[in-house]
Amino acid sequence: MTEIGTPVRRREDYRFLTGQGTYTDDINRPRQLYAYILRSPHANAALRGVDFAAAAKAPGVVAVYTGKDIEADGVGGLPCGWLVHSKDGSPMYEPPHPVLAQGRVRHVGDPVAVVIADSLAQARDAAELIQVDYAVEPAIANAAGALRAGAPQVWPEVPGNICYDWHLGDPAAVEQALAKAARVVKLDLTNNRLVPNAMEPRAAIGDFDRATGEHTLYTTSQNPHVIRLLMGAFVLHLPEAKLRVVAPDVGGGFGSKIYHYAEEAIVTWAAAKLKRPVKWTAERVESFMSDAHGRDHATHVELGLDVDNKFVALKVSTIANMGAYLSTFATCIPTYLYATLLAGTYTTPVIYAETKAVFTHTVPVDAYRGAGRPEATFLLERIVDLAADELGLDPAELRRKNFIPTDAFPYQTPVALQYDSGDYFSTLELATKAADYAGFEARRADAARSGKLRGIGIATYIEACGIAPSAVVGSLGARAGLFEAATVRVHPTGSVTVLTGSHSHGQGHETTFAQLVADGLGVPIEQIDIVHGDSAKIPYGMGTYGSRSLAVGGTAIIKAMDKIVAKGKKIAAHLLEAAEADIEFKDGQFSVAGTDRSKTLGEIALTAYVPHNFPHDELEPGLDETAFYDPKNFTFPSGAYVAEVEIDPDTGTLEIVKFTASDDFGRIVNPMIVAGQVHGGLAQGIGQALLENCVYDHSTGQLLTASYNDYAMPRADDLPSFALSTHATLCTHNPLGVKGCGEAGAIGAPAAISNAIVDALKDYGVRHIEMPATPEKLWRAVHPQNMAAE
């Protein structure tokens, strides 16, 4: 039975498409109360007083709590999960992050009080009665501005607003190489701040069982065990044995549902205090001002080339906006998941990167689809394109000249990572051929005759997936291991349940993982059940992020199946009166080699659970195995994207005429799911390049894009049909040979689109257009005289 490589339709989609999914907000507990959180309208203000007397007396109100109540009960602050050190060896500053503000608010949306009532409407109405005495002070929202002398200080303990000043690489070697370079190309660029906007807003329900003392949190999370660890150990100080975290169906995450949020702790704490369940669901505007944002880098980059146009050095200086507090994994995004990818697909011998992480009066910033890799790819692919332009070279040829050769793997980069496999020439060749790159100039001329400006852009990318291994990330400051676990349970009749520590929030695990088991154990896919998301049921796991599910979670399943087969062979040898070494397993059958004697997996399982004829001296009953997998290295998907755009110079409107993507994801288990993941990533990458931009007023810290009236999301008519292809080089250190595919589109698309735009506008002297490349920006680039007149 071969299921791997088959485009099996997603088994979970029927319940989603027919409205039968169970999301957190669909859950209602007996005697349930509702929470509404009053949030700060100011970015920086002292809390001189919170008067909630009128609110507490409002109809239906059961309780009103503030930061003083949280503090009195000894509730801790939200922890950051990754410790980073500055250049001088000093640790970063980790500020306190109370779940309800204590003494001061530090961004618009900071939670000030929670009203708990019999209905949501009653809680919302009562919140309007709360009188908060704010002493408003100047705020700073721009990271570069936060570094200027005299800028408002987010934390008095942090002069200059610098959380850490980190670096990677050899600065002296890079300076020396740049000094000797035949040409040095320089660019300043911004990676715009984004709001994740998962389809399902965040929600949380706290419940408490007085009889057992058990706390249960239902939440929209990508990793329930991590939430249990962080909330239990650091915030509510609960033993993990008394804390259950359930993440049911989750409607998208993109990284924003990895983190432990204040609302999860608030409802869990309040439920125990009131001895009744407490439910909170975010409104969309609330999500804009409380979900962790993404990106927000300002970078200066320099690329040195020799006389043969080979890259000799890369220097990168980045200011990263962290927001007012440190989100769970925020500190590793502009460091270990960013600078370590700056080699890209190239043989640049020396690289130096430095990152100043800066506090501002804004929502915390953390991982968003790609998490550091889109930021690295964007600056690298923009500077390479700019170098090609300055040298008068074909951008494709300059890339080929500097690609890592296919026979150079494993390849040690100068920024810590060692790539195990790749073939960047083939993916670029596939993409440029499918895009008819060679025939582009004729299409440019045709567009010009119609009064349009046409451009073509290339971007190659590499990403590190899996977040591994635990020993290495632990040495880099991670406060948790990054293994994965799985239990494979073969029932007496031969059907199979898989309990996985990975979590599905759109990736299709219930299909892909079932394909692995069908292929490995020879069980019909209809007889396989995938269970995830409940810390009381599944083995301890680290959840889903960083395109790790198949490479790490899938490998744990493979290892557990290996144990099943090994035990099955012992039982089969006993039943078939043969040597264990002579037992073979294939397509669900245990056979004696060279004979027609065999037993099915179902027969072996029945024997294991009804052990009348069973090797009791050697084995325990049952056919249920658990395995943990801690990867030896990251996996390294890569690819090449080609975007072709057309701009109307009279209006600045842009059309993506064609978008071609060729990716190396290693072995592909389900091509249809992979295509869907790439489509989604491309949509988000194009959204960043052309539409999305989270904007704050730099002086007041007011969030100016707090709804879909002001924050532009990509729609179907903004996107072309995508031309996709794959070329596989297998990962060498997991048994499946898989690499990960969920983030690729968001990593490569922004640079490809931006390069195409600059190519279309090059006759106007345009070197760079900041994202998002809105029609206004494009029109102004074509009509600079109008800007001068203004």
Side-chain angles (χ1 to χ4, degrees):
M1 182 179 294
T2 301
E3 290 288 350
I4 292 179
T6 304
V8 176
R9 295 183 67 178
R10 289 178 23 135
R11 305 166 72 208
E12 50 269 70
D13 281 354
Y14 178 81
R15 73 172 186 272
F16 296 144
L17 294 173
T18 57
Q20 297 180 63
T22 301
Y23 299 92
T24 299
D25 191 57
D26 293 324
I27 297 170
N28 291 293
R29 306 294 297 152
R31 302 177 63 243
Q32 177 176 282
L33 299 170
Y34 294 82
Y36 182 84
I37 294 174
L38 180 70
R39 299 182 183 275
S40 171
H42 305 292
N44 184 28
L47 287 176
R48 293 190 294 211
V50 181
D51 182 356
F52 56 83
K57 297 175 183 177
V61 172
V62 176
V64 181
Y65 298 119
T66 69
K68 289 183 178 180
D69 300 294
I70 292 287
E71 188 176 23
D73 273 15
V75 174
L78 303 176
C80 177
W82 205 298
L83 178 66
V84 170
H85 288 79
S86 290
K87 296 173 183 175
D88 62 5
S90 61
M92 70 184 194
Y93 178 72
E94 182 178 356
H97 190 176
V99 298
L100 287 173
Q102 297 174 9
R104 178 173 292 275
V105 292
R106 289 181 168 84
H107 67 83
V108 172
D110 219 353
V112 174
V114 58
V115 181
I116 300 171
D118 290 328
S119 73
L120 177 58
Q122 289 171 325
R124 186 189 293 112
D125 289 345
E128 294 182 2
L129 301 176
I130 297 176
Q131 299 295 314
V132 183
D133 186 3
Y134 294 103
V136 180
E137 300 176 15
I140 185 69
N142 174 268
L147 294 175
R148 298 191 186 109
Q153 299 297 289
V154 180
W155 296 95
E157 305 87 343
V158 188
N161 291 314
I162 298 177
C163 175
Y164 57 78
D165 184 4
W166 176 91
H167 70 159
L168 179 68
D170 186 339
V174 168
E175 292 295 348
Q176 185 179 32
L178 290 174
K180 294 179 179 179
R183 179 182 290 268
V184 177
V185 184
K186 302 179 182 182
L187 181 63
D188 292 297
L189 74 169
T190 298
N191 209 284
N192 44 319
R193 180 183 278 237
L194 303 174
V195 180
N197 283 300
M199 186 177 293
E200 176 203 24
R202 288 190 300 111
I205 305 170
D207 202 353
F208 179 69
D209 187 331
R210 299 181 70 175
T212 64
E214 181 180 79
H215 304 256
T216 300
L217 170 68
Y218 301 89
T219 183
T220 48
S221 175
Q222 299 177 215
N223 43 1
H225 273 111
V226 173
I227 302 305
R228 188 182 72 168
L229 170 64
L230 296 176
M231 187 171 73
F234 296 97
V235 185
L236 299 183
H237 313 299
L238 300 172
E240 287 180 280
K242 293 295 184 180
L243 178 57
R244 176 189 179 198
V245 177
V246 181
D249 289 330
V250 174
F254 315 122
S256 70
K257 293 175 182 172
I258 296 172
Y259 326 117
H260 178 31
Y261 286 98
E263 297 86 0
E264 294 168 323
I266 290 169
V267 298
T268 306
W269 169 78
K273 203 168 183 69
L274 299 172
K275 306 301 187 288
R276 292 178 66 180
V278 178
K279 181 179 190 175
W280 169 84
T281 301
E283 298 174 353
R284 184 59 69 176
V285 170
E286 202 173 8
S287 296
F288 273 87
M289 63 177 70
S290 66
D291 291 6
H293 293 173
R295 317 289 194 250
D296 205 347
H297 286 191
T299 296
H300 175 77
V301 55
E302 300 182 13
L303 176 66
L305 300 93
D306 65 16
V307 293
D308 295 320
N309 300 322
K310 291 282 286 181
F311 304 160
V312 296
L314 181 73
K315 179 182 178 182
V316 176
S317 298
T318 294
I319 300 170
N321 193 338
M322 307 304 289
Y325 306 99
L326 296 180
S327 180
T328 306
F329 292 121
T331 52
C332 73
I333 307 306
T335 52
Y336 298 109
L337 296 183
Y338 167 64
T340 56
L341 273 299
L342 288 173
T345 55
Y346 308 113
T347 56
T348 313
V350 288
I351 298 173
Y352 176 70
E354 58 183 356
T355 297
K356 283 185 172 67
V358 179
F359 291 115
T360 63
H361 293 109
T362 63
V363 172
V365 176
D366 210 315
Y368 173 69
R369 199 169 192 167
R373 286 88 89 194
E375 296 93 315
T377 296
F378 183 70
L379 74 86
L380 188 57
E381 291 302 294
R382 281 296 300 122
I383 197 69
V384 169
D385 239 48
L386 189 58
D389 183 63
E390 291 190 7
L391 293 166
L393 298 176
D394 180 342
E397 286 308 311
L398 182 60
R399 286 174 168 83
R400 289 190 184 99
K401 190 174 188 69
N402 287 279
F403 275 162
I404 298 166
T406 54
D407 61 358
F409 294 95
Y411 180 80
Q412 180 63 52
T413 74
V415 279
L417 298 182
Q418 185 180 88
Y419 305 159
D420 65 322
S421 65
D423 180 1
Y424 315 132
F425 296 90
S426 291
T427 49
L428 181 58
E429 179 64 22
L430 284 168
T432 53
K433 185 175 180 180
D436 188 20
Y437 185 75
F440 170 71
E441 289 303 329
R443 297 194 296 279
R444 190 202 296 269
D446 286 343
R449 284 190 285 271
S450 300
K452 302 294 179 65
L453 307 173
R454 189 172 283 224
I456 196 165
I458 291 173
T460 64
Y461 76 90
I462 190 165
E463 63 166 320
C465 296
I467 318 297
S470 291
V472 173
V473 297
S475 70
L476 297 178
R479 291 173 173 171
L482 294 169
F483 56 83
E484 199 47 81
T487 295
V488 175
R489 181 174 298 150
V490 183
H491 298 289
T493 57
S495 62
V496 177
T497 296
V498 177
L499 302 117
T500 173
S502 297
H503 187 277
S504 180
H505 44 279
Q507 292 86 353
H509 291 174
E510 293 173 38
T511 303
T512 304
F513 286 170
Q515 288 181 258
L516 293 185
V517 176
D519 190 82
L521 295 182
V523 177
I525 199 167
E526 298 78 16
Q527 297 180 22
I528 301 166
D529 189 29
I530 308 297
V531 178
H532 61 89
D534 186 341
S535 67
K537 296 179 179 179
I538 62 176
Y540 194 102
M542 301 310 296
T544 293
Y545 43 83
S547 300
R548 72 191 301 269
S549 296
L550 193 56
V552 186
T555 298
I557 293 172
I558 294 291
K559 290 171 68 69
M561 286 195 294
D562 288 344
K563 291 183 178 182
I564 292 287
V565 171
K567 184 173 183 178
K569 285 183 176 181
K570 294 180 185 294
I571 298 171
H574 178 81
L575 294 177
L576 296 170
E577 299 179 340
E580 183 183 337
D582 291 334
I583 300 297
E584 297 175 341
F585 180 72
K586 184 179 181 181
D587 295 337
Q589 296 275 343
F590 292 89
S591 305
V592 179
T595 75
D596 59 358
R597 292 187 296 143
S598 66
K599 293 288 184 180
T600 66
L601 177 64
E603 291 173 309
I604 297 298
L606 185 61
T607 300
Y609 288 100
V610 187
H612 299 304
N613 183 14
F614 186 79
H616 291 279
D617 294 340
E618 298 180 51
L619 302 173
E620 295 178 351
L623 201 53
D624 183 326
E625 297 289 347
T626 296
F628 289 80
Y629 176 63
D630 192 357
K632 298 177 181 178
N633 193 1
F634 293 91
T635 64
F636 297 100
S638 60
Y641 293 170
V642 182
E644 190 168 330
V645 304
E646 193 170 86
I647 299 169
D648 184 338
D650 294 330
T651 63
T653 55
L654 177 145
E655 178 188 358
I656 304 173
V657 179
K658 189 174 185 180
F659 198 103
T660 307
S662 180
D663 298 285
D664 177 1
F665 298 135
R667 178 172 285 115
I668 291 175
V669 173
N670 188 313
M672 183 172 63
I673 288 179
V674 166
Q677 289 289 307
V678 175
H679 280 213
L682 291 175
Q684 287 182 279
I686 290 168
Q688 178 175 13
L690 299 179
L691 297 161
E692 298 183 52
N693 197 27
C694 180
V695 180
Y696 282 89
D697 184 287
H698 287 176
S699 60
T700 66
Q702 286 296 321
L703 179 58
L704 303 180
T705 52
S707 75
Y708 293 139
N709 287 330
D710 304 295
Y711 188 93
M713 294 285 287
R715 303 187 181 197
D717 60 358
D718 294 313
L719 306 172
S721 293
F722 302 120
L724 308 183
S725 65
T726 58
H727 172 80
T729 62
L730 301 185
C731 175
T732 61
H733 55 80
N734 68 59
L736 289 166
V738 298
K739 295 186 177 184
C741 69
E743 297 165 294
I747 293 171
I753 293 290
S754 295
N755 288 342
I757 290 169
V758 172
D759 182 57
L761 301 177
K762 64 181 181 181
D763 289 346
Y764 294 87
V766 173
R767 295 178 78 247
H768 182 65
I769 293 282
E770 293 285 16
M771 299 187 292
T774 61
E776 180 187 1
K777 286 182 184 176
L778 300 180
W779 184 86
R780 288 179 180 274
V782 175
H783 302 278
Q785 68 277 8
N786 294 81
M787 294 180 66
E790 292 176 1

